[in-house]
Amino acid sequence: MTAGPLTLADVRDLHQRWLAGAEFDIGYPNAVDFDVSTLLRLFDVTLNNVGHPFAATTGFSGHTLGLEQQLIRELGAMFRCPPDLVTGFVTSGSTAAVKAALLQARRRFRRRVVVYASTAAHTCVAKAADELCMRLQLVPAGLDGVMDVAALTELVAQRPAGAAVVVVATIGTTIVEAVDAVPAIHAALDAAGVPADRRWVHADAALAGIPLATLDPADRPRFDFAADVDSLNISGHKFLGVPTPCGAVVLRADRCPAQDQTTTYTGAPDLTPAGSRSGHTPLLMLAALHSFGAEGLRMRAEQCRRNAAELVDLFAAADVPAWRHQLGFTVVIPAPSPQLQARWPLPVVGEWGHVICMPGKPFHWYERFAAEYVADRNAAGQHPPAPHVPGQRVVADADHEEAIAC
Ligand SMILES: *Cc1c(COP(=O)(O)O)cnc(C)c1O
């Protein structure tokens, strides 16, 4: 590529290069089937959603705050939040969404609070807790990646006297797509003697929230507002396939503390942690939801589950101990060799890695990987790895002795 401004030829080359690389990105949870072409017309106007989508705004007209509010209401309905209690906003991604929810909890409990998440939770929980000076306690996850709720009860029972409790439930963990059980988390908090008004349960549903919400209520794991979460987030660039990172946090308004009333230059109350925010990403997410439609979303999720099941069968036929959670898109496999990882950039934790069957990624991409993987494994005569042990280390309590308030 030449230096200086991009020419059309440069753009074409970059596009070709990214397209060619896409079929090796089967370890990352980005759907690739959302057609943005009808929205391209909107990329020559400035759209800046400064302020809050649920607050009145005046002045600057280049925003999509009304559509952002509609998106949050539709997500609220999908995740069974009472319609008169839904609030929230679009963020730059799930990391920012999780942090925004933790900030609300921190304000509500006036910083006397401990955050609990499992060792298999996304690293953004630790990052957000650190940035917000909130004490974090990691709870062991089982070999299946699900939070050990008996351990949660024990750890919560040891919290400093009077501390409120925030639990981040992960709805689709990063490596194995495990789903924490929200009713079991509430039961664990009951057992540890946490009053209902001294707890906040957040569902980090970045990847799996929307696909699981397409299931009939009877088949759906219980993770949403109907299971009494206080807040929930999703990413827009994962299952929805929005081509730029974005996310959304949905909150129960009655659980949020009174808001900071700083006013922006446009006259809108500045209720979101960011200042200027994208006006395009709410549009892209709303357009994705509407263009697929409820039935389309359901069929895409079904197709991914079928692909994942078929891929497990392919591996099993070659004696590879691959496995998946029944409702997940993620196929967990012994970590590929370094040579194979150089060609296929899959996430690997310890001795395990995964591929994720995502919408728009054709099955033959996965078949090709499986064939190369099996050939490589047979050539190396590999042995089965030790059982998968989820992610992060459990932080010893003493590490956070002083961190309850800052
Ligand atoms: C992807 C993911 C995140 C991080 O999301 P970003 O949108 O990349 O910030 C957080 N939690 C879970 C469970 C995820 O799958």
Side-chain angles (χ1 to χ4, degrees):
M1 200 176 72
T2 54
L6 289 181
T7 63
L8 269 181
D10 292 335
V11 171
R12 210 174 303 122
D13 284 353
L14 282 171
H15 188 236
Q16 281 307 322
R17 199 193 314 157
W18 283 317
L19 273 186
E23 59 193 276
F24 294 92
D25 286 334
I26 58 173
Y28 293 90
N30 59 315
V32 297
D33 59 342
F34 173 42
D35 178 3
V36 295
S37 54
T38 55
L39 295 163
L40 292 180
R41 197 75 203 86
L42 298 165
F43 278 81
D44 64 356
V45 287
T46 300
L47 297 173
N48 185 341
N49 286 10
V50 67
H52 195 285
F54 286 73
T57 181
T58 56
F60 189 64
S61 63
H63 64 75
T64 61
L65 288 162
L67 292 165
E68 182 179 357
Q69 182 183 139
Q70 184 184 341
L71 170 71
I72 296 297
R73 288 190 185 285
E74 290 186 16
L75 291 173
M78 179 182 284
F79 296 116
R80 301 184 286 185
C81 186
D84 50 331
L85 293 178
V86 68
T87 187
F89 48 89
V90 169
T91 60
S92 62
S94 279
T95 298
V98 167
K99 189 175 170 188
L102 291 185
L103 176 62
Q104 290 296 324
R106 193 183 82 148
R107 284 187 178 152
R108 171 160 162 208
F109 299 125
R110 311 183 69 83
R111 304 185 181 193
R112 279 204 70 76
V113 55
V114 181
V115 180
Y116 299 82
S118 90
T119 48
H122 192 274
T123 49
C124 74
V125 179
K127 188 159 84 172
D130 180 52
E131 287 171 5
L132 293 168
C133 295
M134 293 170 88
R135 175 173 169 168
L136 173 68
Q137 175 82 59
L138 291 181
V139 181
L143 295 179
D144 58 359
V146 178
M147 183 190 287
D148 175 346
V149 286
L152 175 65
T153 298
E154 263 176 50
L155 290 166
V156 169
Q158 295 160 19
R159 73 193 180 284
V165 171
V166 175
V167 182
V168 178
T170 307
I171 309 309
T173 60
T174 313
I175 300 299
V176 308
E177 212 180 324
V179 175
D180 289 338
V182 171
I185 286 171
H186 275 299
L189 299 185
D190 292 341
V194 183
D197 64 351
R198 298 290 293 162
R199 61 175 84 163
W200 184 297
V201 179
H202 176 79
D204 176 5
L207 165 65
I210 296 178
L212 291 178
T214 67
L215 293 165
D216 289 338
D219 303 333
R220 205 185 298 183
R222 298 188 58 201
F223 68 90
D224 64 9
F225 291 91
D228 203 19
V229 296
D230 298 273
S231 51
L232 179 151
N233 69 278
I234 56 115
S235 286
H237 52 285
K238 291 183 176 174
F239 185 68
L240 290 180
V242 173
T244 188
C246 55
V249 60
V250 183
L251 299 136
R252 269 187 70 132
D254 59 332
R255 307 276 169 88
C256 295
Q259 302 281 5
D260 174 10
Q261 288 298 319
T262 316
T263 304
T264 66
Y265 298 109
T266 66
D270 194 4
L271 303 172
T272 53
S276 292
R277 295 181 305 119
S278 172
H280 287 95
T281 50
L283 265 179
L284 287 161
M285 276 192 268
L286 193 62
L289 278 181
H290 288 196
S291 72
F292 294 125
E295 184 56 17
L297 292 171
R298 196 188 61 74
M299 283 174 6
R300 287 163 81 247
E302 277 302 300
Q303 183 64 52
C304 292
R305 292 186 192 112
R306 273 199 302 274
N307 284 356
E310 201 172 324
L311 188 58
V312 168
D313 289 347
L314 268 186
F315 281 124
D319 284 330
V320 177
W323 62 277
R324 63 184 275 268
H325 284 292
Q326 210 202 336
L327 297 173
F329 304 167
T330 301
V331 175
V332 185
I333 50 173
S337 70
Q339 307 84 277
L340 212 61
Q341 282 182 48
R343 183 167 148 80
W344 298 86
L346 308 181
V348 168
V349 173
E351 295 183 58
W352 292 85
H354 74 206
V355 294
I356 305 188
C357 296
M358 290 302 292
K361 296 186 178 180
F363 192 67
H364 66 83
W365 291 2
Y366 298 90
E367 272 180 311
R368 180 164 69 146
F369 170 72
E372 290 186 25
Y373 178 95
V374 168
D376 184 67
R377 189 175 159 85
N378 289 343
Q382 282 175 35
H383 304 294
H388 164 76
V389 179
Q392 310 166 48
R393 81 195 166 99
V394 176
V395 178
D397 207 39
D399 287 10
H400 285 275
E401 207 67 64
E402 300 304 323
I404 188 158
C406 66

